[in-house]
Amino acid sequence: MADHLEASVILPSEPASVAAARSYVVGTLAEWGLPSDTEAADTVRLIVSELATNAVQHTLGQSPTFTVDIVLDRDERLRIGVTDSHPRFPKRLPAAVQQDNGRGMVIIRWLTAECGGRLRVRPTREGGKTVSIELPWTVPVAPVPAAGRPEPRPSS
């Protein structure tokens, strides 16, 4: 694989773009070698869903679009960032707060840490922010049968 891969998409800040962001990221990672039916892909799918949902819901109409960036460095580190033009950073809610929403950053932080990664929030030069995660890149190896022999291929 290449030493450095990048992909990016700009989406409108509307609810339908959350599914589009998930599909774009999972599809791109599948092209880079991460099958979409793995636990790692499911984790990334959930993280991207939460990041994109935050970009849509919490920009209060002040960010007409958001950008999803994906970077893979040396087959070692995967970075996914969502950038919007709203200047307000995400707030960490106290654990005791009882409400139905507002848990996205908690979920993102927990999943990222569980995978051995980290979460960052940085301001952009244009006055917005980028919320990004960095994870170790691990592509699952094809399963080997218990006997250590390759599985027979189905006949046509």
Side-chain angles (χ1 to χ4, degrees):
M1 185 171 288
D3 278 349
H4 185 84
L5 296 171
E6 290 186 30
S8 183
V9 65
I10 298 172
L11 298 166
S13 289
E14 55 190 42
S17 293
V18 174
R22 276 193 310 263
S23 294
Y24 178 78
V25 171
V26 171
T28 300
L29 295 183
E31 290 175 16
W32 294 353
L34 181 66
S36 61
D37 61 349
T38 62
E39 185 177 333
D42 288 343
T43 298
V44 168
R45 189 179 286 111
L46 181 53
I47 290 171
V48 169
S49 185
E50 293 297 334
L51 289 171
T53 297
N54 286 351
V56 171
Q57 287 185 344
H58 299 294
T59 58
L60 308 170
Q62 294 182 22
S63 182
T65 63
F66 66 94
T67 304
V68 179
D69 294 302
I70 313 165
V71 177
L72 178 59
D73 282 323
R74 294 181 302 279
D75 286 347
E76 295 174 0
R77 303 299 290 176
L78 173 67
R79 286 191 313 270
I80 301 172
V82 173
T83 303
D84 63 59
S85 58
H86 194 280
R88 187 169 51 99
F89 276 37
K91 293 181 181 177
R92 183 183 287 187
L93 296 176
V97 173
Q98 299 293 322
Q99 61 186 52
D100 293 334
N101 61 5
R103 301 280 184 238
M105 291 302 292
V106 172
I107 292 168
I108 294 164
R109 188 177 313 280
W110 186 83
L111 288 171
T112 301
E114 185 73 13
C115 294
R118 65 182 182 155
L119 169 71
R120 294 180 63 186
V121 182
R122 297 180 315 262
T124 64
R125 291 181 184 164
E126 297 77 24
K129 67 186 164 303
T130 299
V131 181
S132 62
I133 56 110
E134 184 175 295
L135 303 173
W137 176 255
T138 54
V139 175
V141 177
V144 176
R149 288 173 276 160
E151 293 201 28
R153 294 182 181 240
S155 350
S156 303

